[in-house]
Amino acid sequence: MKNLLATRWGIIIVGIVIGIIASLLQLWGNPANMGICVACFVRDMTGALGLHRAAVVQYLRPEIIGFVLGSFGAAYLFKEFKPRSGSAPIVRFILGVFAMIGALVFLGCPWRALLRLAGGDWNAILGLLGLAVGIWIGTRFLKNGYNLGATRKTHTSVGWIFPVIMAGLLVLMLLNPQLAGEPQSGVLFYSVEGPGSMHAPLIVSLILGLVIGFIAQKSRFCTMGAIRDLILFKQTHLFLGIVGLAVAAFVTNLLINQFNPGFVGQPVAHSMHFWNFAGMALAGLAFSLAGGCPGRQLFLSGEGDGDAAVFVVGMIVGAGFAHNFGLASSPAGATPAGITALVIGLIVCLLIGFTMRDK
Amino acid sequence: MNNIVDARGFSCPQPVIMTINEINKVKNGTIKILVDTDTAKENVSRASKAQGWEVTDIKPEDDGFKVTITKEG
């Protein structure tokens, strides 16, 4: 059967659907210009589990659970579930850690960078430029033989681990539901103020997350791949998907009065241009060395890729460090500790790129 | 002449890079590419067409696919 979502119009339509959903999620309660942000949402989940204790960013985002389970469903339905693992997991873990730290210096993953742009936050331009430069550096390594090695086919149950963890988190959320005005419900933390307190109803978030997970798995939607393929192969296929996302979110924002152009006073954003640029450059480099943006890593985790799951676990650990060590930026700007971590991250990623090559 | 690229186990963009490297090496003829995911199959096919090669056959093989591409010399 031909995969319609992997055609040119397929990927454009998937981008448009994601853009509209993201904009509507903001209308229905998610933070401004953050209808979907894979990095921010994974960070919020880390907080909900108490692995960091930044009180304003704690919520077990059902969208992320939906991404993995939707992809899992699509992969099973179309017989694409392929349990595989063993391509340098520790490297993927480290790349996940630093991708998260870079994203939290900017305050968003590539998805949110596009949504911020679509909402009129011009600081996102610096972030997107940084992202492109980081990915460009990644393509230089790819051209010179950078390669983490092949995965191996493995037991079916290995591929089930990450989707089962996500299902378990959903059960945890249903057993420990949010209590109005309470920062804690059983074992889970819930923000009572700040971005973590802003969210669409659980069922809405979950269903829309499942829809996106399903169509993104089938279409191979990837924000990093979009820019990488453009640079590396002059291919516009995936790029059309992110253009669709940005345009659809922009138009929807205009229609529902969510478009507020400017640099200053943008929601969950800062205007330190260089650090916006550098944060996303680090994230972009880490994504390209790992072969996928954070969203794509979630979708791959759903279709049985154990190494992508390790990358996501790295992002969770990175989010823990980012808030426990004060590395994440705030609307006041980047922190000195964050800048230090960013420099260390760039050095580590460059070392990975230089030393892990096929001769 | 039969050239084989074994890209099994590699995720994007490696199968495409390996295919393009082979295309640049042989210039024309027939290349068979072994991949093990649908994504790699689609990406390799798309990239080959962009390089002016024709995808002449896609067959399931060993839990994956064998993609055959050709270009007249």
Side-chain angles (χ1 to χ4, degrees):
Chain A
M1 195 187 79
K2 191 159 164 59
N3 180 1
L4 289 178
L5 287 182
T7 60
R8 172 170 288 247
W9 275 106
I11 188 86
I12 294 173
I13 289 166
V14 167
I16 290 173
V17 170
I18 295 175
I20 294 172
I21 288 179
S23 182
L24 289 177
L25 277 170
Q26 289 159 214
L27 181 69
W28 293 330
N30 280 8
N33 297 344
M34 205 193 280
I36 297 162
C37 171
V38 178
C40 317
F41 284 8
V42 168
R43 180 269 317 273
D44 292 351
M45 295 176 86
T46 307
L49 297 169
L51 301 176
H52 74 66
R53 302 295 287 274
V56 290
V57 282
Q58 296 177 313
Y59 182 63
L60 204 61
R61 298 277 178 189
E63 289 89 348
I64 300 295
I65 296 170
F67 278 16
V68 177
L69 296 182
S71 162
F72 181 70
Y76 255 94
L77 194 62
F78 297 101
K79 299 194 166 50
E80 287 187 18
F81 187 78
K82 293 259 166 79
R84 55 197 190 272
S85 180
S87 169
I90 182 67
V91 179
R92 294 174 187 276
F93 175 85
I94 295 292
L95 291 172
V97 170
F98 284 113
M100 179 58 96
I101 290 171
L104 291 178
V105 168
F106 165 69
L107 292 173
C109 69
W111 292 47
R112 182 166 192 246
L114 294 166
L115 293 174
R116 282 173 60 172
L117 187 68
D121 176 353
W122 303 145
N123 298 299
I125 297 169
L126 280 302
L128 287 166
L129 284 174
L131 179 71
V133 168
I135 295 170
W136 177 80
I137 297 171
T139 63
R140 297 306 97 185
F141 287 126
L142 286 166
K143 279 205 157 185
N144 284 300
Y146 166 80
N147 189 340
L148 288 180
T151 56
R152 290 177 71 98
K153 183 175 186 283
T154 182
H155 311 289
T156 303
S157 50
V158 174
W160 275 69
I161 290 178
F162 204 69
V164 167
I165 290 174
M166 286 292 144
L169 291 179
L170 182 61
V171 171
L172 206 57
M173 200 173 187
L174 298 174
L175 293 177
N176 301 275
Q178 185 168 24
L179 307 168
E182 292 292 326
Q184 213 172 342
S185 167
V187 295
L188 292 182
F189 293 89
Y190 288 91
S191 296
V192 288
E193 56 175 10
S197 69
M198 302 162 80
H199 57 81
L202 191 161
I203 188 72
V204 173
S205 296
L206 180 65
I207 289 173
L208 294 179
L210 285 167
V211 169
I212 292 177
F214 192 94
I215 60 176
Q217 193 281 331
K218 281 310 286 173
S219 65
R220 335 299 184 199
F221 182 86
C222 178
T223 58
M224 184 285 295
I227 296 171
R228 178 200 62 206
D229 289 357
L230 196 62
I231 297 172
L232 198 55
F233 307 128
K234 314 252 179 308
Q235 257 188 36
T236 54
H237 178 75
L238 288 172
F239 195 77
L240 292 171
I242 65 169
V243 171
L245 187 159
V247 171
F250 168 68
V251 172
T252 314
N253 283 339
L254 277 184
L255 292 175
I256 57 179
N257 287 323
Q258 283 182 168
F259 183 74
N260 302 296
F263 274 102
V264 184
Q266 290 289 347
V268 203
H270 63 78
S271 290
M272 289 187 171
H273 300 317
F274 181 76
W275 299 115
N276 278 330
F277 174 89
M280 276 311 250
L282 170 60
L285 176 56
F287 298 145
S288 60
L289 292 176
C293 76
R296 180 79 185 137
Q297 304 283 355
L298 290 171
F299 309 134
L300 285 170
S301 309
E303 59 173 71
D305 186 337
D307 296 327
V310 171
F311 182 94
V312 178
V313 174
M315 289 207 299
I316 293 170
V317 172
F321 277 109
H323 286 282
N324 291 340
F325 285 19
L327 313 177
S329 299
S330 70
T335 66
I339 291 165
T340 309
L342 198 150
V343 172
I344 294 172
L346 278 173
I347 293 169
V348 170
C349 287
L350 291 174
L351 284 173
I352 288 173
F354 277 116
T355 60
M356 301 180 192
R357 288 193 287 182
D358 290 340
K359 292 288 179 297
Chain B
M1 196 165 83
N2 249 346
N3 304 284
I4 294 187
V5 174
D6 187 356
R8 285 174 296 182
F10 291 98
S11 52
C12 63
Q14 295 299 342
V16 174
I17 293 177
M18 293 159 87
T19 303
I20 290 180
N21 285 347
E22 190 69 15
I23 283 177
N24 290 337
K25 208 169 79 188
V26 302
K27 309 288 186 209
N28 56 57
T30 299
I31 304 175
K32 293 184 190 302
I33 305 119
L34 303 174
V35 296
D36 56 5
T37 62
D38 290 76
T39 307
K41 177 192 74 179
E42 292 161 9
N43 290 345
V44 164
S45 304
R46 196 179 295 119
S48 303
K49 284 179 203 155
Q51 297 284 321
W53 286 58
E54 196 187 341
V55 179
T56 47
D57 190 39
I58 299 179
K59 258 207 211 70
E61 186 170 296
D62 292 346
D63 211 37
F65 304 93
K66 184 164 77 181
V67 181
T68 308
I69 61 170
T70 51
K71 188 179 183 183
E72 303 295 329

